[in-house]
Structures are given as structure tokens and as C-alpha cells.
Amino acid sequence: MFDILIKNAELITNDESKPLITCGYIGIKDGRIAFISDSLPENAEAREVIDGRNKIAMPGLVNAHSHSAMTLMRNYADDMALEKWLFDNIFPVEAKLTDKDVHWGTMLGISEMLKSGITAFADMYMFMDEVARAVTETGIKANLCKSPVQFFEDGQLKRLDKSQGTIDYYNSYHNSADGRIKVFVEIHSVYMFNENTLRNAAQLAKQLNTGIHIHLLETVAEVESSNKDYGMTSIEICRETGVLDVPVMAAHCVHLTDSDLRIMQEKKASVVHNPTSNLKLGSGIARVPDMMDMGINVCLGTDGAASNNNLNMFEEMNLAAILHKGIAMNPQLMKAQDVLKMGTVNGARAIGFDDTGVLSEGMKADIILVDTDKPHFYPKNDPMAMIVYSAQAADVDTVIVDGSILMKNREFTHIDEEKIKFEVESLSKRLLGR
Amino acid sequence: MFDILIKNAELITNDESKPLITCGYIGIKDGRIAFISDSLPENAEAREVIDGRNKIAMPGLVNAHSHSAMTLMRNYADDMALEKWLFDNIFPVEAKLTDKDVHWGTMLGISEMLKSGITAFADMYMFMDEVARAVTETGIKANLCKSPVQFFEDGQLKRLDKSQGTIDYYNSYHNSADGRIKVFVEIHSVYMFNENTLRNAAQLAKQLNTGIHIHLLETVAEVESSNKDYGMTSIEICRETGVLDVPVMAAHCVHLTDSDLRIMQEKKASVVHNPTSNLKLGSGIARVPDMMDMGINVCLGTDGAASNNNLNMFEEMNLAAILHKGIAMNPQLMKAQDVLKMGTVNGARAIGFDDTGVLSEGMKADIILVDTDKPHFYPKNDPMAMIVYSAQAADVDTVIVDGSILMKNREFTHIDEEKIKFEVESLSKRLLGR
């Protein structure tokens, strides 16, 4: 007896042995994929049957770099220079944020992500207890991180190493929510840390046997400051201080030298490519095809909604697939099947979930169904191209995480979307001074 | 008595005197906007009232360069070199196309476009009588074109000037369908014509008092062939042969010299930017910010679905807005309000419709309503940024063309979507050999 049986869906599996199944069946039991095949098992019974006709079932999308609660600053400050955006608009609002604000901003972000087919995300922000609470309540998966360095105290910029807070956070939440939460150590960036705090953070991650989430070489300004402050590139100082000796998910990585790329390859660091945010903020274009040639694990992220302005991995996959073709003037780069992996299994590996991202027996049942019975999918040819080049987030019909149906026919099963929208609209009046 | 009254919508007007109305009212009568204001007129009565709460009403999107029936080759041949894509995949299918195929392919393309908020498009393809029939039947607006030069006869490549066919097409369809169709002269490209046929086509457009739709400088290959064949750039040979002396909508314009740009500026030609297609085919990146600085009318197009792979102007607006910021590393370029005009009024002007693209009294009622009551729009800040940076095509709720409601609550009022999908799926089996 399965808990859920998906029938007659077209399957994209990420399983090398059978990447596509034209008409497939998935049986789910105890949160995992118990059965997957192109034919129905005999005497198949299930508590709930999902009709997969005219749908593609595939691994849930993984948003490997975000600041979910920044949804609160969506469409609030656009088309301006980075400094003006950050110092005159974003920082003043962030200074006002309370734990309650971060709770509702995160709930909004999670709602949007689930509606867009995202089953797991990595988050870096403040009031991270609230983020853990929102993840626990909603049923999504997340990699959360906590910084051992506090930058401000009594309104002054200070670098205070408070590792105990990170240790407590790790002990409270790592593998909590039935294993749906992983905790990494946050290193905001090389320019907000110094050699000492970088070294301590790396040591802490090693001690906790976990990974590090870091912003790395997003802007030309970081290239310059790193050379000035450390006399080496940001990647080199990370190597020197041991940061790259644990699993690292490095967001952005826009401005890497050949030598930096070789270090990332050697250290098996994961790169989170954020193409929309990098373009919109004018940061530049990461050398993703080079990274892929070198076998670096590249995954995708939306970054925060203040610089995107949505949390839509279909847009990131589409953009990743076409952008680098255009830049290199080579349409053979960034094939749909590779970009799909960037948006799913590569992200799952980067953020610390090894038992998802592939539809095969024994894996966690993190599955989305995409409704393809719409004009923009016809005629139905290559299903991988359909997802990467034709789909939009609103085509996601059903979302399953750890075998629980969180959205069905685009309706949440237990998230109160109306309340979230109401709360966010209310608190944004205070925050944004409207 | 209005035919339609839209109440309580947030309005983006493109009207310089009042670009935004937070809570607005639009009265529609005899296909035109009879009333628009931030308050309801006294004794306002209407045959049909549309509740605009939680919706943005804005001018319909204009897809200024497409080959609608190429939806038939969607997701059929991706991630390959241009020559392989075109000669081994696209051309062999096109050689099999019948008038019936083009009819259903165009019906599919129009269905997709209406569902994505496109109220007018420019099309260039074969069996153009079928395209005119589909436009007439569906209620959308279009700029259609007909080539005076036939390239193939008896299976041989020949350049045959058959201007009479273009004259007949113009006389049959220009201003037909209650003025919803405009007819231009097609010049496929400088490399498919020669000096003589370019001159004759320009003369023909002048004689008919109409414009020209042309592919111009899409690829580096065209730069080279033009220099070889004509001893000058494609823009220069167009100027020499009189092509730029009539209203011209030039698709792509990726590889222009400074001098080419000045010629386009001087001749008041319109440029149709196709960012997705140009990236996906590896063609390169057009100098759009330079064009805008020079006051050139730049609008947007999807190109055909075989190189995109959808007809989604929200994606083109988003991409146009972020791509050039990233390339120039300047987030202040391509502001949301300018990109919105590229996607609406600039396109309307380019394709020959002067009485649409702006919400003001007397203009044709080509209006879309976008449902913003979804997580990815909250909190609700700048409505222009919401459309350009956060929206997806599926957010379009209602589509009105010339005062007729063609889609309401995402359902077509008189297009048989199921039949179109069925016919396309059937004929694609023969065409694509599945």
C-alpha cells in the first residue's frame, strides 16, 4: 500500500540509467520513492492517487542561495547604483526589521517558492530562529546558516566572534524538522570578515562537521578590496584560512581568475550561480561554462527578492541556459539537461541533502508535477527543453516534499496564503514608510 | 452607457501626464477608451463591469517580431549550432508545411500570445493568407507582411520578383478585420535579396504607402556576407536601395557599427530587440542602451518559438531590463518604465498602429489586466517594477482588444483551445516524424 501513487506522468528523473520515462508511475511510502517504473506494479494500491496525464513529474527545484525575508523589500528600490540601493534603501529598512517581520517575510518567500516548484532552499539572513520556525511549519526543506561574527553592537561596526551562538543554533536545528533542516556556518563574505574570523569560522565548521555558506567575488569592488586587504584574491584567502577545507557553497563567484577556478575545482567547492541578480545589480557574468568544463558543481539561486525581484527558479534555469550561449556566441553550451541538473540535484548536493534531487527508489520523495496542457508547451517534444525553455513557475501544479503534498492544483494544503499576504502588506507600511 | 467599465484597478497608462493611477476607472465604448480617471463618472452605467481590485490594468503587449507558426517546431531542436539547427532540422520541416499546418500553428501561437497578454504582433512567414485568416478569426491585431521575392521554384533556389502577389495581399488585407490588420512588405534579409530586389521591394513599399519588415544584422555571418556581397554593411545597402526611406521595423540589429546606428537614427527606423532568441542562438547582444540614448524607437519581439521557445513578452521585458545592466555593469540602465514602453507603445508605433499602446481617451481599448494577488507580487510597491521584474505571463487575467474581451479569468471567450492543441499535436506527428 503506497501513501501516494503518481500515474501516467512523463518523468524527468536525473537518473543516468533512465533519464526520461514517457509514461511513468511513482509509488511513495514513508516519505521516500518506493517504486518507479514505466509500468504499474501489480495490485498497486494507494491512499491517494495523482493523475499525471498531461503532466511532467520531476525532482523539486533547489534554490541554493536566497535571503527569503528580503521579499519584504521587493520592487521597493530598483534601477539604481549598487551603493544607493544598499546604503540608502536596503540597509535602513533592514535596521528596522524585527523577528516578527522576518517571520512573515520568510513565510511569504516560502509560499512563493513552493508555488514555483522549489522544494528546498538555502537561506542566509538575520533572526534565523524565525527562519527555522517558518521552515518547520511549512514543510519545505532548507539549509540555514548562522554567522559566528556579529558586525554591529551598540550601533558600532565591530567584529565580535560569538561562536557559541552558532554552536547553539546548530545544535537546535541541524537535522531538525524530521531532517528537513541542515545548518551550515555563515561567512557573509571575505570583506565583512578578517583573517582571524575567517580562520575561526572555518575551524568552527570543521568542529561541527558541517559546511559553509558564503558570498564570494560578487563584484569588482570585492576583487579590489580583497587585493588591498589581504594581498590576494578572496578565493586565495579562503584557501589560506581553511574555509575551503569543508563543504562550501559559494554564492555568485562572478569574478574568478583561472587560478581561482582551479582552487575551487581542487577543493570541490560548489558554486551558486545567480544570473538574474548578477545582471540586475550590474555585477557581471560568472564564467559558468568554464566551471562546468572543470567539473565544478554549479547550482542555481535566486538571491533575495530585493535584487531579482522574485524567487522563480524557472527564470533562473532559462536565463542560465541562454545567457552563456549568447555571451560566448555558442548555442551548444549549457544544454537543457545540464541546466536541469543545476536547478535540482546539483543544488541538493551543495546544500547538504544527498538523498534527494533524483527520482529513483530509496530517494526522498521531493517531487513536483508541471501541468503541460497549455498552449506554450505544444506540440510536445523534448520534455527537458519544455521545462528549461518554455515553462513558467505558474505551470507547477503539485508539490510534494518528503512524501507530503504541500500544494495540489496550485492550492496550498495547509499554508494560509491569505493571512501571509495580509500580514506582509500590513507590516510593510511601517517598514517602507508608505 | 459604456460597453465595459473597469473599476478600482491600478493603472499603468504610458500617458506622460499621468503615468500611474493607484485606483482607476476605464470606460470603453465602440472599441475605444471613452473615459479614464481616478474617480468614477457620475451615473456610470455599463453592459459589463470588470472588478479591477488586486489587478493592474495596462496597455496590451506588442510582440513586434515573430513567426507564429514556428510554434510547430517548439522544443524540437535545441542546443545545437545554428547551421545544424536551421539546415538539418528547421528547413526540412518547413519544406513539408502545408497551408493547413500554418493555419493551426498560427492559431496555437495566437492562443499562447493572448494568454500571455499580447494584443498585437508582427508576423513574417509563409502561407500568409492563413495567418490573416487566423488573425481575423481570433480577434487579435497584427502586422503581416508578404515578400515580393520568391526564393524557390521547382525546388531550385531562384530569386523571382513577384510584386503582384504582394500588391494583391496588401489590397486584400491591409486595414481588414475592422482595421486590426496592417500589411507591410517583407524583405526577409539583405543576404536573401540582392541589390535589384532590395530596390524593387523598397519601391513597392513606397508605392503602397506602407512599411517594411526585415531581419537585419542578426549574426556575424551576415556582417561578413554583406561586406563580401555588397562591399558595405547591411544598413548601408538598405540606405542605398531606398529600404530605409519608408517605415522600417528591423528585427535583431545585433551587429551594428556606430555609423550604422547613426543611419538608423537619421532614417527613424524601428529596431525590434529579440533578447531571448539572440542569446539562445548564440547570435550576440544588441547595443540597445546606445540605441535608446540616440532616441531610436526600440521595441521587443519573441522571434519564433523554435528559437525561444515560447512567445512570452514578460520574459522578453525582464530579460531586456536586466541583460544590458549586466553587460554594461550599470544597474541604472534600462529602467522599468522604459522597458514597459518597449513592450507596448514603442511596438505599436513600429508595427503601424498609432491609436493604441497608451491608456488615454480616444485610444483603442487594447488593455490587459494582470492579477497581482499572488505571493510573488507582495508587498505591493512600484507597479512598473512589479510588471517588469516580478510578473509572469500566467498572471494575465483578462485581455481586451478593440473593446472586445478575448480572455476573461484566463479562459478564452471564443477560441477553441482544446481543438487547437489537438490539431497541432496530430499534425506534428507527420511533420516531426514522431
Side-chain angles (χ1 to χ4, degrees):
Chain A
M1 172 76 87
F2 297 123
D3 298 325
I4 301 170
L5 178 62
I6 301 171
K7 292 171 74 167
N8 303 309
E10 183 155 22
L11 309 186
I12 296 175
T13 67
N14 281 344
D15 179 346
E16 307 287 337
S17 70
K18 42 177 181 184
L20 290 173
I21 297 177
T22 303
C23 182
Y25 303 81
I26 303 174
I28 298 169
K29 193 167 172 56
D30 297 332
R32 292 185 184 267
I33 296 172
F35 174 88
I36 178 166
S37 171
D38 58 2
S39 57
L40 193 63
E42 279 182 52
N43 304 321
E45 283 184 85
R47 258 182 283 280
E48 176 150 10
V49 174
I50 295 177
D51 181 2
R53 276 176 301 179
N54 276 320
K55 296 193 176 70
I56 290 173
M58 59 176 278
L61 301 171
V62 178
N63 180 4
H65 179 65
S66 191
H67 316 282
S68 310
M70 289 187 84
T71 49
L72 297 175
M73 285 149 270
R74 191 201 308 271
N75 296 317
Y76 168 67
D78 299 291
D79 305 338
M80 53 184 71
L82 185 69
E83 295 69 29
K84 189 178 170 192
W85 174 74
L86 195 60
F87 290 96
D88 296 351
N89 290 276
I90 301 302
F91 281 170
V93 175
E94 289 190 331
K96 292 191 238 172
L97 287 178
T98 65
D99 53 351
K100 192 182 158 200
D101 297 332
V102 169
H103 174 74
W104 288 114
T106 306
M107 290 295 281
L108 178 68
I110 291 173
S111 303
E112 180 185 357
M113 287 193 275
L114 287 172
K115 287 222 151 178
S116 308
I118 294 166
T119 53
F121 70 107
D123 213 60
M124 180 194 285
Y125 211 53
M126 53 186 97
F127 299 110
M128 291 301 291
D129 289 283
E130 291 301 326
V131 181
R133 183 158 74 93
V135 171
T136 304
E137 282 178 26
T138 54
I140 200 168
K141 291 189 174 176
N143 174 304
L144 307 180
C145 60
K146 181 89 173 178
S147 175
V149 178
Q150 309 297 306
F151 303 111
F152 292 93
E153 197 169 71
D154 308 326
Q156 296 289 308
L157 180 63
K158 295 179 184 171
R159 290 196 177 94
L160 301 164
D161 203 329
K162 297 196 168 179
S163 298
Q164 190 55 44
T166 307
I167 294 168
D168 292 344
Y169 190 78
Y170 180 89
N171 287 333
S172 298
Y173 298 112
H174 188 68
N175 284 327
S176 73
D178 299 320
R180 287 188 287 106
I181 294 178
K182 303 285 177 193
V183 174
F184 273 21
V185 172
E186 171 191 332
I187 297 180
H188 176 278
S189 54
V190 160
Y191 56 88
M192 294 287 273
F193 276 51
N194 58 33
E195 190 173 331
N196 220 13
T197 49
L198 284 172
R199 208 175 291 281
N200 289 354
Q203 187 52 42
L204 182 60
K206 215 175 284 182
Q207 174 194 329
L208 296 172
N209 194 27
T210 193
I212 286 170
H213 189 174
I214 184 172
H215 291 114
L216 208 45
L217 287 167
E218 179 175 2
T219 63
V220 169
E222 177 171 347
V223 174
E224 288 161 4
S225 77
S226 172
N227 285 332
K228 183 167 156 287
D229 295 347
Y230 299 104
M232 59 184 89
T233 74
S234 291
I235 305 271
E236 287 164 349
I237 187 66
C238 282
R239 181 180 58 183
E240 293 308 304
T241 52
V243 169
L244 300 179
D245 292 339
V246 300
V248 163
M249 35 190 299
H252 304 298
C253 293
V254 177
H255 301 285
L256 271 60
T257 63
D258 288 350
S259 157
D260 287 338
L261 284 174
R262 281 194 298 273
I263 294 171
M264 295 295 276
Q265 175 191 36
E266 192 182 302
K267 293 293 189 174
K268 298 192 181 353
S270 290
V271 170
V272 191
H273 181 36
N274 296 264
T276 297
S277 176
N278 294 158
L279 291 177
K280 183 160 186 288
L281 294 177
S283 305
I285 293 156
R287 297 170 58 183
V288 173
D290 291 338
M291 295 174 189
M292 291 173 72
D293 280 349
M294 295 171 76
I296 292 171
N297 183 50
V298 183
C299 52
L300 292 173
T302 61
D303 207 355
S307 62
N308 188 310
N309 299 349
N310 57 30
L311 310 176
N312 181 335
M313 286 285 290
F314 286 89
E315 287 183 4
E316 302 306 326
M317 287 195 293
N318 184 259
L319 185 53
I322 65 176
L323 176 62
H324 303 285
K325 291 176 168 75
I327 298 291
M329 298 180 72
N330 178 358
Q332 298 178 83
L333 296 176
M334 306 293 292
K335 294 186 195 305
Q337 69 225 56
D338 296 326
V339 173
L340 265 171
K341 284 185 182 154
M342 290 170 63
T344 54
V345 64
N346 294 7
R349 296 296 168 273
I351 73 170
F353 292 93
D354 289 333
D355 55 358
T356 187
V358 178
L359 302 191
S360 65
E361 278 173 32
M363 299 296 275
K364 289 278 193 179
D366 299 331
I367 302 172
I368 60 173
L369 282 98
V370 178
D371 179 358
T372 60
D373 191 22
K374 300 179 180 182
H376 61 277
F377 286 115
Y378 280 83
K380 295 191 184 176
N381 291 306
D382 177 2
M384 294 188 185
M386 288 167 72
I387 296 295
V388 171
Y389 296 120
S390 303
Q392 47 187 313
D395 298 323
V396 176
D397 179 83
T398 297
V399 174
I400 301 170
V401 178
D402 271 10
S404 294
I405 299 176
L406 303 187
M407 184 176 85
K408 192 169 180 182
N409 305 327
R410 292 202 67 65
E411 295 292 327
F412 287 126
T413 52
H414 65 282
I415 291 175
D416 188 345
E417 180 183 325
E418 294 307 315
K419 181 168 172 61
I420 293 167
K421 292 186 295 193
F422 174 81
E423 294 288 349
V424 165
E425 199 63 16
S426 304
L427 68 85
S428 74
K429 284 182 176 54
R430 170 179 55 81
L431 278 180
L432 309 180
R434 288 184 300 164
Chain B
M1 172 76 88
F2 297 123
D3 299 327
I4 301 170
L5 178 62
I6 301 170
K7 292 170 75 168
N8 302 311
E10 183 155 23
L11 309 185
I12 296 174
T13 67
N14 281 344
D15 180 343
E16 306 287 336
S17 70
K18 42 177 182 185
L20 291 173
I21 297 177
T22 304
C23 182
Y25 301 83
I26 303 174
I28 297 169
K29 193 166 172 57
D30 298 332
R32 291 186 185 266
I33 296 173
F35 173 87
I36 179 166
S37 172
D38 57 2
S39 58
L40 194 62
E42 280 181 49
N43 304 318
E45 285 183 83
R47 258 183 283 278
E48 176 149 10
V49 174
I50 296 176
D51 181 0
R53 275 176 303 179
N54 275 321
K55 296 193 176 71
I56 290 174
M58 57 175 279
L61 301 171
V62 178
N63 180 3
H65 180 66
S66 191
H67 317 281
S68 311
M70 290 186 83
T71 49
L72 297 175
M73 284 149 271
R74 190 200 309 270
N75 296 317
Y76 168 67
D78 298 291
D79 305 337
M80 52 184 71
L82 186 70
E83 296 69 29
K84 188 177 173 192
W85 174 74
L86 195 60
F87 291 96
D88 296 352
N89 289 276
I90 300 302
F91 281 170
V93 175
E94 290 190 331
K96 291 192 238 172
L97 287 179
T98 66
D99 54 352
K100 191 182 158 200
D101 297 332
V102 169
H103 174 75
W104 288 114
T106 306
M107 290 294 282
L108 178 67
I110 291 174
S111 304
E112 180 185 356
M113 287 193 276
L114 287 172
K115 288 220 151 181
S116 308
I118 294 167
T119 53
F121 69 107
D123 212 62
M124 181 194 284
Y125 212 54
M126 54 186 96
F127 299 110
M128 291 301 290
D129 289 285
E130 292 300 327
V131 181
R133 183 156 75 91
V135 171
T136 303
E137 282 178 24
T138 53
I140 201 169
K141 290 188 175 178
N143 174 306
L144 307 179
C145 61
K146 181 88 173 179
S147 175
V149 177
Q150 308 297 308
F151 303 109
F152 292 93
E153 197 170 71
D154 308 326
Q156 296 291 307
L157 180 62
K158 295 178 184 171
R159 290 196 177 94
L160 300 164
D161 203 330
K162 295 197 168 178
S163 299
Q164 191 56 44
T166 307
I167 295 169
D168 292 345
Y169 190 77
Y170 179 89
N171 288 332
S172 297
Y173 298 112
H174 188 67
N175 284 328
S176 74
D178 299 320
R180 287 189 287 106
I181 295 179
K182 304 284 177 193
V183 174
F184 274 19
V185 172
E186 171 190 334
I187 298 180
H188 176 278
S189 56
V190 159
Y191 57 87
M192 293 288 273
F193 276 51
N194 59 32
E195 190 174 331
N196 220 11
T197 49
L198 284 172
R199 208 175 290 280
N200 290 353
Q203 187 52 43
L204 182 60
K206 216 173 285 182
Q207 174 195 329
L208 296 173
N209 194 27
T210 193
I212 286 170
H213 189 174
I214 184 171
H215 291 113
L216 208 46
L217 288 166
E218 180 175 2
T219 62
V220 169
E222 176 172 346
V223 174
E224 288 161 4
S225 78
S226 173
N227 285 331
K228 182 167 157 288
D229 295 347
Y230 299 105
M232 58 184 90
T233 74
S234 291
I235 304 271
E236 286 164 349
I237 186 66
C238 282
R239 180 181 58 182
E240 293 306 305
T241 53
V243 169
L244 300 180
D245 293 338
V246 299
V248 163
M249 34 189 300
H252 303 299
C253 294
V254 178
H255 301 285
L256 270 60
T257 64
D258 288 349
S259 156
D260 287 339
L261 284 175
R262 281 193 298 273
I263 295 171
M264 296 294 276
Q265 175 191 37
E266 192 183 304
K267 293 292 191 176
K268 298 189 182 354
S270 290
V271 169
V272 192
H273 181 36
N274 297 263
T276 298
S277 177
N278 294 158
L279 291 177
K280 182 162 188 287
L281 294 176
S283 304
I285 292 156
R287 296 170 59 184
V288 173
D290 291 338
M291 295 174 189
M292 290 172 74
D293 279 348
M294 296 172 75
I296 293 171
N297 183 50
V298 183
C299 51
L300 293 171
T302 61
D303 208 355
S307 61
N308 187 310
N309 298 346
N310 56 31
L311 310 177
N312 181 337
M313 285 284 291
F314 285 89
E315 287 183 4
E316 302 306 326
M317 287 194 294
N318 185 258
L319 185 52
I322 64 175
L323 176 62
H324 303 285
K325 290 178 169 74
I327 298 292
M329 298 179 72
N330 178 359
Q332 298 179 82
L333 295 176
M334 307 292 292
K335 295 186 195 304
Q337 69 224 56
D338 296 326
V339 173
L340 264 172
K341 284 185 183 154
M342 292 170 62
T344 54
V345 63
N346 295 7
R349 297 294 169 273
I351 74 171
F353 292 94
D354 289 331
D355 55 359
T356 187
V358 178
L359 302 191
S360 64
E361 279 174 30
M363 299 296 276
K364 289 277 193 181
D366 299 332
I367 302 172
I368 61 174
L369 282 99
V370 178
D371 180 358
T372 58
D373 191 22
K374 300 177 180 182
H376 61 279
F377 286 115
Y378 279 83
K380 295 192 183 176
N381 291 306
D382 176 2
M384 294 189 185
M386 287 166 72
I387 296 295
V388 172
Y389 297 119
S390 303
Q392 46 186 314
D395 298 323
V396 176
D397 179 83
T398 297
V399 175
I400 301 171
V401 178
D402 272 9
S404 293
I405 299 175
L406 303 187
M407 184 174 85
K408 193 169 178 181
N409 304 328
R410 292 202 67 67
E411 295 293 327
F412 287 126
T413 52
H414 65 282
I415 292 174
D416 188 345
E417 180 183 326
E418 294 308 314
K419 181 167 172 65
I420 293 167
K421 291 186 296 193
F422 174 82
E423 294 288 348
V424 165
E425 200 62 18
S426 305
L427 67 87
S428 75
K429 286 185 175 53
R430 169 180 55 81
L431 277 181
L432 309 181
R434 286 184 301 163

